[in-house]
């Protein structure tokens, strides 16, 4: 750390956080000071499940910081605590509502609710030795951390509002899964239950339990999904019947009807204790319900859950464990040698700063506890701890110099309460540079991944060749091992879903009544009607807000596409085929694919092949298929081609392969083009591949042959280390490079 603080102010254009954060961290010397592999704790301001400007840290900012740090090899931990202020949201709800759980899955970061992080071990340094010592917290452990609380909270959420997030929360509760396994006749596969639920979520984005039940009945769904959701629906019906006390007892009796309790088993002993605590809370609520019978059942559930969460479980003290005491309890601690940690300003003395409802002056007038009173109390406690150990005892006071995030920390102001002549020496002692007996331990890899080896596939999709060109090893993971990333927090259409819906609507233009139509209004009505039908079939009529926004965006693009289609038909272009299947034998492998659209000009006979693109920006085909050669790479010769006097590298072979497949039927002069439907509707239209030559076609086929022969020979190494994490589904598997994290023997 530098002796003088560095303040950097940057002006943001739009939401371009990434470059600014990278530059700022560089300027303050972060990358030089903090070694790669170190843990970096990010503490954003989070209060509500939805973003509120001026109050909370934006998700875009947090994503940029996380991506920057993980890109430099740091282990990122995003943490926040439940609020004790004016809102009623747990930080777990905020993590999910803000999409931070999804962000963590994308970037490999860890999210932590620091409200429930309790120490189990501490590290005591004794000279050059390090001792691992068990500790004991006499305050006990909050019931909120127990499995029974998680189950009850999930049941209460499902009863209150059966949104799909509540369904997923209950579906993953171990006790609910155990209930399914015991209550379903025959074998019940938990793996199929969870995998099927993830697939249903990814494909249909159900809004609630009713939607999920409807989609679970579709052919192709795993039977465990329908069974599990039906059981969940029955439990919800039980929760809504009778009084609070009756429903709470009935549903738990149903879930645990097969469970046997053995109090000699520690887990069963803890469960019995939790069940007793819950029963006492329910009993108290039932008694209060006699006086406040107008409250709905959901409020009683919330109150009972709060009572249960506030209760604690006290365990037996392990032999030889150090007992952890809170600051206010230390006055009763009679140990002759006392170690007090965390003696930093802001903790001791604690203070209430910036309370908008009860400022310090008002607290004093009302006779409430003030910061001055807290200071006096803590000064007395510290003096009492020291005075009681002046003879025959010892008091060690420990304070941190920096936080987990690397920010400097101040020692408690109580440590500066001394005689004036001693003060300079005390200040010099407290603010001296810390002794660095040990250097920060660099990050090391515990093990390497060792993927199983499978035979190369006999067939490869056209898009698979693009994947191999991007990274042979990632091609192996995705195309050979069939590994797929799962997004459990998905709540909107991804790029594939969005493109599939738009493609489906445009596919309908092959209908005999429409392929010859040149009327814009008719085409627009048809495309929008076809799109709406497909949305209803896949997602139903009860769409979430993100889907409403996305479907409206798609409708705007399709409306503009109708205008383009009418113009192209007027100019003489007629649709010949859509979704045409092709197969190409190449290098011992079959390349398969579907051509979005083939057109022929009714006067000239010219044929062109179109591929629909729904990416945010309209990109020319040439820029997608060819890229610049990087100075640090040496790709095979068959991937290279000279274009306009510059050496280029093939990045995609889609349109040249389509052109090759159609040559026998339509000749060698087929035009290649993209039908772009970008976010900016005004850019909707066709972009032709200008200057496509016979030499380019031949080079593309040489490249395709080289890829297919490499796949057939099992060449999936070396990996591409330049893939950006935000575009890499496998990024969470690799730290500090793919090659270093994977054990892969190259075939000789």
């Amino acid at each position: 750390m530098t002796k003088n603080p560095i303040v950097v102010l940057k002006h943001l254009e739009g939401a371009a956080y990434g470059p600014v954060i990278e530059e700022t961290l560089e300027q303050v010397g972060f990358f030089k000071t903090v070694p790669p592999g170190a843990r970096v704790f990010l503490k954003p301001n989070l209060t509500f499940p939805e973003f509120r400007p001026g109050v909370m840290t934006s998700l875009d900012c947090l994503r940029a910081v996380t991506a920057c740090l993980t890109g430099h090899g740091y282990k990122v931990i995003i943490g926040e605590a439940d609020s004790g202020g004016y809102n009623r949201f747990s930080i777990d709800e905020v993590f999910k509502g803000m999409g931070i759980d999804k962000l963590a899955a994308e970037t490999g970061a860890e999210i932590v609710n620091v409200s429930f992080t309790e120490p189990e071990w501490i590290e005591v340094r004794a000279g050059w030795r390090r001792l691992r010592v068990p500790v004991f917290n006499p305050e006990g452990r909050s019931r909120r951390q127990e499995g029974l609380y998680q189950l009850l909270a999930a049941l209460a959420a499902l009863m209150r509002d059966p949104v799909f997030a509540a369904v997923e929360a209950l579906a993953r509760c171990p006790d609910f899964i155990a209930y399914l396994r015991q209550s379903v006749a025959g074998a019940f596969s938990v793996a199929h239950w969870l995998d099927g639920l993830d697939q249903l979520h990814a494909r249909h984005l159900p809004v609630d339990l009713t939607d999920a039940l409807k989609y679970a009945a579709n052919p192709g769904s795993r039977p465990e999904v329908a069974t599990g959701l039906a059981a969940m629906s029955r439990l919800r019906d039980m929760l809504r019947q009778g009084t609070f006390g009756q429903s709470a007892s009935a549903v738990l009796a149903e879930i645990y009807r097969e469970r046997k309790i053995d109090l000699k088993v520690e887990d069963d002993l803890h469960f019995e204790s939790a069940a007793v605590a819950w029963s006492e809370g329910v009993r108290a609520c039932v008694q209060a319900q006699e006086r406040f019978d107008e409250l709905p059942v959901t409020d009683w559930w919330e109150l009972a859950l709060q009572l249960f969460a506030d209760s604690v479980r006290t365990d037996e003290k392990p032999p030889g464990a150090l007992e952890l005491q809170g600051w206010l309890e230390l006055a009763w601690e009679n140990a002759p040698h006392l170690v007090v940690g965390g003696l930093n300003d802001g903790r001791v003395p604690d203070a209430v700063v910036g309370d908008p409802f009860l400022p310090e002056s008002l607290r004093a007038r009302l006779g409430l506890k003030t910061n001055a009173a807290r200071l006096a109390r803590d000064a007395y406690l510290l003096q009492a701890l020291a005075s009681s150990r002046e003879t025959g005892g010892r008091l060690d006071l420990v304070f941190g110099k920096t936080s987990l995030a690397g920010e400097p920390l101040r020692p408690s102001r109580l440590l500066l309460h001394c005689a004036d002549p001693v003060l300079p020496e005390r200040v010099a002692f407290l603010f001296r540079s810390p002794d660095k007996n040990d250097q920060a331990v660099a990050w090391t890899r515990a093990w390497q991944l060792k993927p199983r080896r499978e035979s190369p596939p006999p067939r490869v999709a056209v898009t698979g060749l693009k994947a191999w060109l991007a990274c042979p090893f990632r091609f192996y993971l995705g195309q050979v091992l069939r590994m797929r990333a799962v997004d459990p927090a998905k709540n909107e259409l991804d790029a594939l879903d969005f493109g599939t819906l738009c493609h489906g609507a445009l596919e309908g233009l092959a209908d005999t009544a429409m392929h010859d139509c040149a009327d814009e209004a008719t085409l627009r009505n048809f495309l929008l009607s076809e799109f709406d039908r497909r949305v209803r079939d896949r997602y139903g009529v009860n769409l979430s807000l993100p889907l409403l926004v996305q479907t409206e965006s798609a409708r705007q693009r399709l409306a503009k596409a109708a205008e383009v289609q009418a113009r192209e038909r007027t100019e003489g272009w007629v649709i010949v085929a859509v979704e045409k299947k092709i197969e190409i034998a190449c290098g011992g492998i079959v390349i398969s694919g579907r051509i979005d659209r083939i057109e022929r000009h009714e006067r000239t006979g010219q044929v062109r092949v179109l591929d629909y693109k729904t990416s945010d920006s309209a990109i020319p085909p040439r820029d997608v298929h060819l890229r610049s050669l990087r100075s640090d790479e040496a790709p095979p010769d068959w991937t290279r081609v000279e274009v306009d006097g510059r050496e280029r590298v093939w990045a995609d072979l889609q349109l040249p392969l389509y052109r090759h497949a159609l040559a026998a039927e339509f000749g060698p002069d087929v035009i290649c083009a993209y039908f772009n439907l970008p976010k900016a509707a005004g850019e909707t239209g066709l972009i032709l591949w200008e200057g496509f030559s016979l030499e380019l076609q031949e080079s593309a086929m040489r490249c395709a042959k080289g890829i297919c022969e490499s796949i057939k020979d099992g060449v999936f190494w070396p990996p591409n280390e330049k893939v950006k994490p935000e575009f890499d589904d496998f990024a969470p598997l690799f730290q500090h490079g793919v090659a270093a994290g994977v054990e892969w023997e190259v075939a000789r």
Side-chain angles (χ1 to χ4, degrees):
M1 298 298 293
T2 57
K3 293 183 178 180
N4 298 317
I6 300 175
V7 178
V8 178
L9 299 179
K10 294 288 184 182
H11 177 67
L12 283 178
E13 293 290 346
Y17 289 102
V20 173
I21 290 169
E22 180 87 21
E23 182 181 355
T24 301
L25 292 177
E26 184 70 39
Q27 288 183 359
V28 301
F30 180 87
F31 301 125
K32 295 180 180 178
T33 306
V34 183
R39 292 185 300 170
V40 180
F41 185 84
L42 299 182
K43 191 278 178 191
N45 290 330
L46 301 175
T47 310
F48 299 94
E50 68 281 344
F51 176 62
R52 299 195 180 186
V55 177
M56 300 166 61
T57 304
S58 75
L59 184 62
D60 290 337
C61 177
L62 188 59
R63 176 180 285 109
V65 176
T66 304
C68 175
L69 293 172
T70 55
H72 283 273
Y74 296 103
K75 173 63 177 178
V76 176
I77 303 172
I78 303 171
E80 177 63 291
D82 290 340
S83 172
Y86 51 86
N87 72 73
R88 300 169 62 188
F89 299 104
S90 73
I91 197 61
D92 294 321
E93 293 180 84
V94 177
F95 282 152
K96 190 172 185 64
M98 282 285 292
I100 293 176
D101 52 353
K102 182 178 180 181
L103 166 63
E106 293 172 353
T107 60
E110 178 185 355
I111 54 175
V112 175
N113 183 346
V114 297
S115 298
F116 309 131
T117 54
E118 296 188 7
E120 296 182 359
W121 296 86
I122 62 175
E123 187 173 79
V124 179
R125 300 185 181 218
W128 295 101
R129 296 175 299 153
R130 293 184 177 184
L131 305 177
R132 289 176 61 82
V133 181
V135 297
F136 174 70
N137 186 356
E139 290 186 357
R141 297 170 60 90
S142 170
R143 297 285 186 191
R144 191 186 295 268
Q145 301 176 63
E146 301 199 2
L148 180 58
Y149 176 84
Q150 303 303 323
L151 174 71
L152 292 168
L155 288 169
L158 184 73
M159 178 193 63
R160 183 170 56 249
D161 188 0
V163 296
F164 194 71
V167 172
E168 288 186 303
L170 181 58
R172 286 167 169 78
C173 283
D175 287 350
F176 177 74
I177 292 175
Y179 164 67
L180 290 179
R181 298 181 67 174
Q182 295 168 357
S183 60
V184 175
F188 181 86
S189 171
V190 177
H192 288 176
W193 156 243
L194 297 176
D195 177 64
L197 197 65
D198 285 340
Q199 290 183 19
L200 183 145
H201 177 209
R203 177 165 180 78
H204 298 290
L205 294 177
V207 174
D208 54 22
L209 177 59
T210 302
D211 274 359
L213 282 166
K214 179 180 67 175
Y215 297 128
N218 291 344
S221 294
R222 293 190 183 275
E224 287 86 353
V225 177
T227 301
L229 292 176
M232 201 176 289
S233 180
R234 290 194 300 271
L235 291 178
R236 184 170 188 267
D237 291 340
M238 294 176 64
L239 287 168
R240 301 174 66 191
Q241 295 174 358
T243 64
F244 161 68
Q246 293 169 343
S247 63
S249 300
V251 75
L252 291 185
E254 170 65 16
I255 292 174
Y256 292 114
R257 68 171 187 263
E258 300 292 335
R259 177 156 183 173
K260 303 294 189 295
I261 302 296
D262 183 355
L263 296 182
K264 297 179 181 179
V265 178
E266 185 177 9
D267 287 344
D268 285 354
L269 185 63
H270 292 160
F271 175 77
E272 188 265 349
S273 172
V276 170
W278 168 250
S279 299
E280 291 174 353
V282 171
R283 191 177 303 112
C285 289
V286 170
Q287 292 174 356
Q289 195 174 17
E290 297 175 358
R291 298 179 58 188
F292 304 98
D293 57 355
E294 69 279 2
L295 289 179
V297 174
T298 53
D299 286 356
W300 289 112
W301 266 96
E302 185 174 347
L303 180 58
L305 276 173
Q306 188 61 53
L307 291 173
F308 186 50
D310 291 341
S311 64
V312 295
R313 186 189 84 200
T314 55
D315 300 326
E316 293 293 331
K317 180 180 177 180
L322 291 180
E323 193 164 314
L324 300 179
Q325 300 285 8
W327 171 248
L328 298 180
E329 288 76 34
L330 289 178
W332 285 268
E333 176 59 63
N334 60 3
H337 185 185
L338 190 63
V339 179
V340 182
L343 214 69
N344 286 96
D345 205 37
R347 290 182 175 271
V348 179
D350 67 339
V352 176
V353 180
D355 191 318
F357 302 108
L358 286 174
E360 189 74 359
S361 59
L362 182 57
R363 286 177 176 272
R365 293 175 60 186
L366 294 175
L368 301 177
K369 185 181 294 184
T370 63
N371 289 337
R374 292 185 178 90
L375 175 62
R377 177 202 66 193
D378 292 342
Y380 168 79
L381 287 175
L382 182 59
Q383 185 61 46
L385 296 178
S387 299
S388 62
R389 289 167 178 82
E390 284 184 342
T391 58
R394 176 174 172 175
L395 175 64
D396 290 332
L397 303 178
V398 182
F399 64 91
K401 299 290 286 187
T402 59
S403 68
L404 287 175
E407 299 174 351
L409 298 176
R410 299 187 304 272
S412 170
R413 70 188 72 177
L414 296 180
L415 300 178
L416 299 175
H417 286 196
C418 59
D420 290 347
V422 182
L423 184 59
E425 182 181 355
R426 179 74 61 86
V427 170
F429 176 79
L430 294 176
F431 289 91
R432 75 190 191 281
S433 298
D435 297 332
K436 295 185 178 179
N437 296 327
D438 298 312
Q439 297 295 324
V441 180
W443 180 88
T444 57
R445 194 180 308 280
W447 66 82
Q448 288 181 306
L449 299 175
K450 189 175 181 180
R452 70 179 187 274
R453 303 299 286 264
E454 296 284 352
S455 301
R459 301 173 64 87
V460 176
V462 170
T463 53
L465 303 190
K466 178 181 179 180
W468 193 96
L469 286 168
C471 176
F473 181 67
R474 291 177 175 85
F475 169 90
Y476 178 80
L477 297 180
Q479 304 291 325
V480 181
L481 297 186
R482 302 293 181 182
M483 293 176 63
R484 296 289 185 272
V486 176
D487 181 9
K490 180 179 178 182
N491 62 355
E492 60 184 8
L493 305 177
D494 57 26
L496 180 61
D497 297 332
F498 190 89
T500 299
L501 289 173
C502 293
H503 277 59
L506 291 165
E507 181 183 341
L509 292 175
D511 186 273
T512 54
M514 298 306 301
H515 81 279
D516 203 36
C517 178
D519 181 70
E520 178 185 341
T522 302
L523 288 168
R524 180 174 61 252
N525 291 336
F526 173 80
L527 288 176
L528 297 183
S529 176
E530 187 71 10
F531 175 80
D532 292 342
R533 180 184 66 81
R534 291 175 180 271
V535 170
R536 286 195 303 271
D537 290 346
R538 183 163 177 176
Y539 301 105
V541 295
N542 187 22
L543 302 183
S544 63
L545 180 58
L547 262 66
L548 288 173
V549 173
Q550 289 181 299
T551 53
E552 181 58 31
S553 174
R555 287 171 59 84
Q556 292 175 8
R557 301 187 194 195
L558 290 171
K560 190 65 177 180
E563 177 185 333
V564 174
Q565 172 63 22
R567 182 175 65 247
E568 295 296 319
R569 180 64 191 92
T570 301
E571 293 177 358
W573 290 101
V574 180
I575 299 174
V576 175
V578 298
E579 294 297 312
K580 181 178 176 64
K581 295 182 180 180
I582 62 166
E583 289 188 350
I584 303 172
C586 182
I589 285 181
V590 176
I591 303 173
S592 61
R594 288 175 179 266
I595 300 176
D596 286 343
R597 181 159 148 187
I598 305 170
E599 294 182 333
R600 187 198 302 271
H601 199 279
E602 59 185 355
R603 294 186 294 275
T604 66
Q606 180 67 62
V607 175
R608 66 186 183 189
V609 56
L610 304 182
D611 192 70
Y612 299 126
K613 295 297 179 186
T614 54
S615 54
D616 287 348
S617 302
I619 306 176
R622 172 172 164 171
D623 294 349
V624 174
H625 286 72
L626 296 168
R627 64 173 178 84
S628 299
L629 177 66
R630 298 193 305 268
S631 59
D632 61 343
E633 66 173 337
D637 291 339
W638 38 262
T639 65
R640 307 185 188 194
V641 61
E642 186 174 314
V643 180
D644 298 335
R646 295 179 57 195
E647 189 171 34
R648 308 278 283 176
V649 179
W650 285 104
D652 195 354
L653 301 171
Q654 184 182 37
L655 290 181
L657 287 173
Y658 289 170
R659 194 172 184 270
H660 175 82
L662 298 178
E665 183 177 357
F666 298 108
D669 298 324
V670 175
I671 298 172
C672 301
Y674 279 168
F675 194 134
N676 284 300
L677 292 86
K679 183 182 295 185
E683 298 178 6
T684 301
L686 274 64
I687 300 182
L688 307 183
W689 190 333
E690 303 289 355
F692 189 90
S693 63
L694 178 61
E695 290 75 18
L696 273 178
Q697 181 68 46
E698 292 174 348
S699 174
M701 296 312 298
R702 284 196 302 272
C703 183
K705 181 180 179 183
I707 296 173
C708 291
E709 289 176 346
S710 297
I711 294 173
K712 184 180 179 182
D713 294 339
V715 179
F716 305 111
W717 201 262
N720 181 5
E721 303 285 7
K722 300 294 184 179
V723 179
K724 295 182 178 180
E726 57 266 32
F727 302 121
D728 183 9
D729 287 342
F730 303 106
L733 299 178
F734 312 123
Q735 293 83 35
H736 300 273
V738 181
V742 176
E743 181 182 341
W744 185 272
E745 183 178 348
V746 179
R748 299 292 183 181

